[in-house]
Amino acid sequence: MKSNLQSIKLFLVVAFSCTSLLASLTPVLAKPIGSSPSDAYNGLRLRSDAKTTLAQAKTFNQPPIPAGRPPGGRVRGGAKRGQVAGCPATKPDLTALVHFTEEANSVINVWGQTTLERPSWFFYVPYTKDSPYEVEFVLQDQDDNEIYRKAIALPDKPGVINVSLPTTAPALALNKQYRWFFTINCDQEKNSPPTFVEGVIQRVQLNPAVLKELQTTEPLKRYVIYAQNGIWYEALTTLAQLRDQNPKDAALQAEWRNLLGSIRLDDIAGEPIFLGKP
């Protein structure tokens, strides 16, 4: 009888201890992923569903060329046929990171959509700050009036840089087309033509349901939404920012290659990205 009582007491002690242990663990087990600053997305540790989210993007959903005068443009730098370029030949050449189409008559149309009043443009620059070259970004309205001009500093080494439209510049109006130029003049005497890229950007407005989703979702999902809706500039900027915050993330590296590969700029995908103010 005494032995049975001791066994019962021992069982109760063990049971109480286990219950207390589980109670102390419950807050830890119930704590959501990403609730601490180190796990917050902007921190930026990608969740386990990152690959699933990126898979939804597939490739960029390129919208049709807008009605009216074809945008034309140049996605790659270098000399035009019959010209002698003043800049040293490089591979890759100066490149605008924007989608383009090539028509049957070999006419290139370089253009993209944005939802922002002041978007960012991205360019691969093959020259460095050690070179005494003049670099400029110019933006014109649809009547060819210059609305913004900025001298650009070359990076420490070849790579992708961004140029953002500042608050001091006029905001892009809805449904208006603007032409941009990124020019590198390598000849100080200016006897040879510069190397340049150019294209057209148009600000559009998304429907209210998409806008609401963009306001309430995480950056990775926003990238997917922009890509699915043909908003090139925000898709590229969002993904570039994510890569800048997570330089070793394999899923983001793969999606960057996928995005640039979808517009035939595979040779730029492995180049470093330097984000900063123009």
Side-chain angles (χ1 to χ4, degrees):
M1 182 70 178
K2 184 176 181 181
S3 176
N4 289 339
L5 287 173
Q6 290 176 337
S7 298
I8 292 172
K9 287 181 179 179
L10 179 61
F11 173 79
L12 290 174
V13 169
V14 172
F16 179 78
S17 299
C18 290
T19 302
S20 300
L21 178 61
L22 287 173
S24 66
L25 285 175
T26 299
V28 176
L29 294 174
K31 186 177 181 181
I33 296 174
S35 60
S36 68
S38 61
D39 285 336
Y41 196 89
N42 288 336
L44 172 74
R45 183 179 297 173
L46 292 179
R47 299 200 313 259
S48 59
D49 62 349
K51 291 184 179 179
T52 301
T53 302
L54 289 173
Q56 297 172 3
K58 297 182 179 178
T59 56
F60 178 73
N61 185 21
Q62 184 167 309
I65 296 175
R69 183 179 68 178
R74 300 182 68 185
V75 75
R76 304 277 191 177
K80 288 187 176 180
R81 184 175 299 175
Q83 289 183 337
V84 178
C87 293
T90 60
K91 193 172 182 179
D93 204 343
L94 170 67
T95 304
L97 274 63
V98 62
H99 64 82
F100 63 97
T101 59
E102 187 169 4
E103 310 304 324
N105 56 1
S106 298
V107 172
I108 301 288
N109 288 306
V110 183
W111 83 286
Q113 295 184 150
T114 181
T115 63
L116 300 178
E117 291 183 342
R118 294 177 172 85
S120 294
W121 290 258
F122 286 76
F123 304 95
Y124 168 74
V125 181
Y127 309 113
T128 68
K129 65 179 184 181
D130 296 328
S131 304
Y133 301 154
E134 294 181 3
V135 186
E136 275 192 330
F137 176 81
V138 174
L139 186 65
Q140 298 176 343
D141 64 18
Q142 60 185 16
D143 296 319
D144 300 328
N145 299 310
E146 182 180 304
I147 63 172
Y148 180 66
R149 179 184 292 266
K150 174 70 176 180
I152 305 298
L154 288 170
D156 292 339
K157 58 181 181 178
V160 174
I161 65 171
N162 66 310
V163 178
S164 300
L165 195 62
T167 56
T168 54
L172 301 189
L174 275 172
N175 302 317
K176 300 292 185 181
Q177 295 182 27
Y178 297 82
R179 183 168 297 275
W180 50 262
F181 300 86
F182 188 93
T183 303
I184 301 179
N185 195 326
C186 303
D187 184 356
Q188 291 180 311
E189 302 297 326
K190 298 186 178 180
N191 293 321
S192 301
T195 182
F196 71 97
V197 288
E198 68 167 300
V200 168
I201 186 171
Q202 182 174 7
R203 182 180 163 218
V204 298
Q205 191 167 30
L206 293 171
N207 68 60
V210 175
L211 286 174
K212 184 177 181 180
E213 187 176 6
L214 285 168
Q215 293 169 355
T216 57
T217 193
E218 63 191 14
L220 190 62
K221 182 62 176 177
R222 286 204 297 270
Y223 157 70
V224 173
I225 294 171
Y226 283 129
Q228 290 174 337
N229 285 273
I231 307 300
W232 173 260
Y233 285 93
E234 279 78 286
L236 184 70
T237 300
T238 302
L239 189 57
Q241 290 172 342
L242 289 173
R243 281 211 60 203
D244 183 61
Q245 295 166 1
N246 297 268
K248 296 182 180 179
D249 189 274
L252 291 176
Q253 291 174 5
E255 186 55 30
W256 182 258
R257 291 193 298 270
N258 175 59
L259 180 63
L260 294 188
S262 71
I263 61 168
R264 293 171 284 168
L265 296 183
D266 308 75
D267 57 333
I268 305 299
E271 300 296 334
I273 304 172
F274 307 114
L275 297 187
K277 294 182 180 179

